[in-house]
Amino acid sequence: MLCSKSWIDQHLEELSPWQQSAYRQFAAMLCDEEHPYPCVPGKQGFQTDTLRFGFTEDPRKGEASEKLASYLKQYGEISRETGNYASLVVFCHSDDMGGGRQPVETYEQIFWDLLNRVHQLDDKPWPDHIGKDPHDHTWEFCFNGEPYFAFCATPAHTVRKSRHFPYFLIAFQPRWVFDEINSSTTFGQKLKKVIRKRLVEYDEAPPHPSLKWYGQQDNYEWEQYYLRDDDSAMRKCPFSHMHKKIKS
């Protein structure tokens, strides 16, 4: 079931202890006025109850990819009704994953493995206007015909605090959210400056060189989905497009 902030606030005690912990820490992170979270749209979305939440098992397990695929299918059908700052935030039960003792690169592989497994469960055609090759500047992860910007945070991130979270967290922002937030709009340009300034202050480090605008010839969205603590990045995207679905 997809949950709204208002529903969780009213039914928090019905959630399991780890789910309560994940949500409370997420709320504390976005509502911290002393150290403002850099993503202004994300904070706005939380405060205006336009985000939707889900909880899954350990992201390395098949049940997690099945549940995430189900969430994305449900979410694609209702996201436009939730508000301008729409996002789907999914917390994963990651108590057995080693927490911060695992390197950032280990979580990176877990993230891409999960995204690939979810893609294999997609029975809708890839949108015609979105490139199938991640090394195409028009590429974006899609599910059920909807393009999304994906974001991952883990317990292993320590330098880039904006990518740190006590649980394995993955969020999906529908591409349509960025129709008014891009390099061609005044609002988008101003918002980018605000976010970058807050990002530097929050992380206490320069922005990762992979952070660019969607659609730029030298921009590859997949590089922004999962940022490492240093300035390095994978040379090749681990995402594999399924040209033909095989059904058993």
Side-chain angles (χ1 to χ4, degrees):
M1 177 181 77
L2 292 180
C3 306
S4 64
K5 174 184 181 296
S6 54
W7 187 92
I8 295 178
D9 288 342
Q10 294 175 19
H11 300 84
L12 187 62
E13 298 304 319
E14 298 175 21
L15 300 180
S16 67
W18 83 262
Q19 292 172 341
Q20 292 183 39
S21 171
Y23 176 76
R24 283 183 172 130
Q25 293 187 71
F26 182 83
M29 180 176 70
L30 263 67
C31 295
D32 188 342
E33 296 299 332
E34 188 174 344
H35 301 287
Y37 191 69
C39 183
V40 177
K43 184 172 183 177
Q44 284 282 93
F46 183 74
Q47 293 176 334
T48 57
D49 204 15
T50 62
L51 305 185
R52 292 298 177 267
F53 299 93
F55 301 90
T56 75
E57 296 75 12
D58 185 320
R60 297 169 294 183
K61 297 181 178 179
E63 295 92 332
S65 49
E66 291 171 4
K67 186 170 286 187
L68 184 52
S70 175
Y71 283 150
L72 282 168
K73 191 169 185 178
Q74 295 174 53
Y75 186 67
E77 295 172 355
I78 59 99
S79 65
R80 286 175 172 78
E81 302 168 10
T82 61
N84 293 334
Y85 298 112
S87 284
L88 169 63
V89 179
V90 180
F91 305 110
C92 299
H93 191 192
S94 45
D95 289 352
D96 297 329
M97 295 176 65
R101 298 188 301 277
Q102 293 285 356
V104 170
E105 290 77 11
T106 297
Y107 282 99
E108 183 175 38
Q109 192 59 56
I110 292 171
F111 166 75
W112 284 110
D113 286 347
L114 176 60
L115 219 57
N116 272 315
R117 297 200 315 271
V118 170
H119 174 58
Q120 291 171 12
L121 297 171
D122 188 6
D123 56 10
K124 284 289 185 67
W126 196 263
D128 291 336
H129 64 290
I130 303 294
K132 296 182 176 67
D133 181 357
H135 297 271
D136 183 316
H137 70 279
T138 66
W139 182 87
E140 189 82 278
F141 176 74
C142 300
F143 192 87
N144 204 40
E146 288 286 345
Y148 293 97
F149 178 84
F151 169 98
C152 186
T154 79
H157 285 81
T158 56
V159 177
R160 299 193 187 282
K161 299 177 180 64
S162 56
R163 294 283 176 146
H164 174 83
F165 194 70
Y167 294 86
F168 187 91
L169 179 155
I170 184 168
F172 296 88
Q173 285 181 288
R175 174 47 52 188
W176 59 262
V177 168
F178 298 95
D179 288 347
E180 301 299 326
I181 308 174
N182 56 66
S183 59
S184 64
T185 67
T186 302
F187 176 66
Q189 293 168 7
K190 289 181 178 178
L191 185 59
K192 179 182 178 180
K193 290 180 180 178
V194 171
I195 293 175
R196 287 295 169 87
K197 181 177 183 295
R198 290 173 60 157
L199 185 64
V200 171
E201 294 171 351
Y202 195 86
D203 284 351
E204 298 178 350
H208 196 284
S210 295
L211 293 176
K212 299 173 184 176
W213 287 104
Y214 176 74
Q216 285 182 217
Q217 292 293 327
D218 62 342
N219 173 67
Y220 302 110
E221 288 292 277
W222 68 270
E223 292 183 338
Q224 302 184 49
Y225 287 6
Y226 190 101
L227 297 181
R228 294 177 176 177
D229 258 350
D230 56 21
D231 286 351
S232 68
M234 285 182 160
R235 292 185 178 181
K236 183 179 180 182
C237 180
F239 180 81
S240 298
H241 182 81
M242 299 291 290
H243 294 280
K244 183 178 180 180
K245 298 291 188 295
I246 300 175
K247 296 183 179 180
S248 58

